[in-house]
Amino acid sequence: MDQENGSSFTGFILLGFSDRPQLERVLFVVLLIFYLLTLLGNTTIIALSLLDPHLQTPMYFFLSNLSFLDLCYTTSTVPQLLVHLRGPDKSISFGGCVAQLFVSLGLGCTECILLGVMAFDRYAAVCRPLHYTVIMHPRLCALMASASWFIGFANSSLQTVLTFLVPLCGRNKIDHFLCEVPPLLKLACVDTTVNESELFFVSVIILLIPVALITFSYGRIVRAVLRIKSAAGQRKAFGTCGSHLTVVSLFYGTAIYAYLQPSNNYSQDQGKFISLFYTIVTPMANPFIYTLRNKDVTGAMRKVFCGGNDSR
């Protein structure tokens, strides 16, 4: 191919795990199960939050946003990956690659910000319990959720445009299972130092500012919880906050590895497995992490699925 720009391509080849055919068979089964669990778990969280009046609180409003986001996030990548794992055709159209990058990156950025917002919600609930309903007013909750989605997709729009403006000189084999910025930049036939520096700078803002907010919030939460005299009260506070911290650690740890290490240290094989983690494992785990030790959710599940009518 002698085209000078990626926009003249008819498509890309996602190499994925094609050099490991036996692994592809195993991954197909595992990822299919994980995807079905993701659909089931996150749909359940959204349904329960809508059906049970006790779950119509700021915490579950944000959790429903997270579940909806995770449903969209996995669906933007996993069905296509499953098709590629089952057959020899690993192609994706140019438009499909652009759309996948835009949607998956937008959702990923939104989740980064939303998890920071959820940490602020937990801080208000634990450290300012008497003023919680005033602080976390429904309008403020809607505003913070909307801002998370807007910022996430505004950044995605910028990164998508900048990435596909880079000349590829006919290179169309992406050493990954989805269209992401780092492997796409590796196709470039020009110096991408400016693009990589810009991506690093934006990633620091999108990833580390929420991490700073989360660290501050949970530092204050730990101090407040330790002052609670009731052991039951401490367990409840640490239970809900511990679930959120587990999700935060899983998501930010893998995202920081993928986007905040120098490109010359970036291992493509490791990058694929890290991407698998935050595109499928974390969205699958989120609803189970939040519900397994949460009496409000388990109680709502019993009422809804066992036909209980008592809302008290």
Side-chain angles (χ1 to χ4, degrees):
M1 299 174 71
D2 56 1
Q3 293 95 326
E4 291 299 318
N5 191 289
S7 61
S8 59
F9 287 170
T10 57
F12 293 93
I13 305 297
L14 291 170
L15 298 178
F17 304 95
S18 56
D19 57 335
R20 300 180 177 93
Q22 292 184 333
L23 178 61
E24 284 190 320
R25 299 189 195 98
V26 175
L27 280 176
F28 177 82
V29 176
V30 173
L31 294 183
L32 178 59
I33 294 171
F34 277 23
Y35 183 53
L36 294 175
L37 289 174
T38 300
L39 296 179
L40 175 64
N42 286 290
T43 302
T44 300
I45 290 289
I46 295 170
L48 290 176
S49 298
L50 293 173
L51 295 173
D52 193 316
H54 289 149
L55 300 186
Q56 292 173 7
T57 64
M59 174 181 171
Y60 293 102
F61 168 75
F62 292 124
L63 184 54
S64 296
N65 268 264
L66 180 64
S67 292
F68 176 71
L69 187 156
D70 283 340
L71 282 174
C72 297
Y73 195 23
T74 53
T75 302
S76 70
T77 57
V78 176
Q80 176 197 262
L81 174 57
L82 291 173
V83 171
H84 286 178
L85 289 173
R86 284 292 292 168
D89 183 13
K90 315 291 185 185
S91 64
I92 182 173
S93 67
F94 179 81
C97 189
V98 172
Q100 185 180 73
L101 176 62
F102 172 71
V103 173
S104 62
L105 184 58
L107 292 168
C109 293
T110 301
E111 183 158 350
C112 289
I113 301 166
L114 188 62
L115 288 173
V117 169
M118 292 173 72
F120 175 75
D121 170 69
R122 293 297 83 209
Y123 161 76
V126 175
C127 300
R128 298 288 187 271
L130 299 180
H131 302 95
Y132 178 64
T133 55
V134 176
I135 296 172
M136 300 306 293
H137 189 275
R139 289 183 182 176
L140 178 62
C141 293
L143 179 63
M144 291 193 294
S146 300
S148 300
W149 286 87
F150 176 79
I151 294 171
F153 277 91
N155 176 59
S156 178
S157 299
L158 174 65
Q159 301 307 324
T160 301
V161 170
L162 292 178
T163 300
F164 283 100
L165 283 176
V166 175
L168 305 182
C169 303
R171 301 172 183 175
N172 71 334
K173 292 184 178 180
I174 302 173
D175 191 12
H176 212 296
F177 64 84
L178 79 161
C179 293
E180 272 197 317
V181 177
L184 279 166
L185 289 180
K186 287 188 176 295
L187 296 182
C189 55
V190 296
D191 183 22
T192 59
T193 301
V194 174
N195 296 75
E196 292 171 3
S197 299
E198 182 273 338
L199 178 64
F200 181 84
F201 176 74
V202 173
S203 298
V204 166
I205 295 174
I206 295 292
L207 287 167
L208 296 190
I209 289 181
V211 167
L213 174 61
I214 291 167
T215 303
F216 168 79
S217 297
Y218 278 98
R220 301 297 295 269
I221 286 170
V222 169
R223 290 173 57 188
V225 170
L226 292 177
R227 289 199 295 266
I228 297 175
K229 296 181 180 179
S230 164
Q234 286 187 347
R235 283 196 300 271
K236 182 177 180 180
F238 276 127
T240 57
C241 296
S243 299
H244 184 245
L245 272 178
T246 303
V247 171
V248 164
S249 301
L250 290 172
F251 183 79
Y252 283 105
T254 52
I256 287 172
Y257 177 90
Y259 282 90
L260 291 186
Q261 66 169 316
S263 59
N264 55 350
N265 293 337
Y266 186 82
S267 166
Q268 204 64 50
D269 286 339
Q270 289 180 358
K272 293 176 190 177
F273 287 101
I274 290 294
S275 296
L276 273 180
F277 208 89
Y278 60 73
T279 56
I280 183 64
V281 177
T282 303
M284 182 274 297
N286 283 352
F288 297 99
I289 291 171
Y290 276 110
T291 58
L292 287 178
R293 296 178 60 189
N294 190 312
K295 292 181 180 179
D296 293 335
V297 176
T298 53
M301 290 177 67
R302 282 195 296 269
K303 283 195 299 180
V304 171
F305 296 116
C306 297
N309 296 317
D310 183 16
S311 61
R312 289 185 234 177

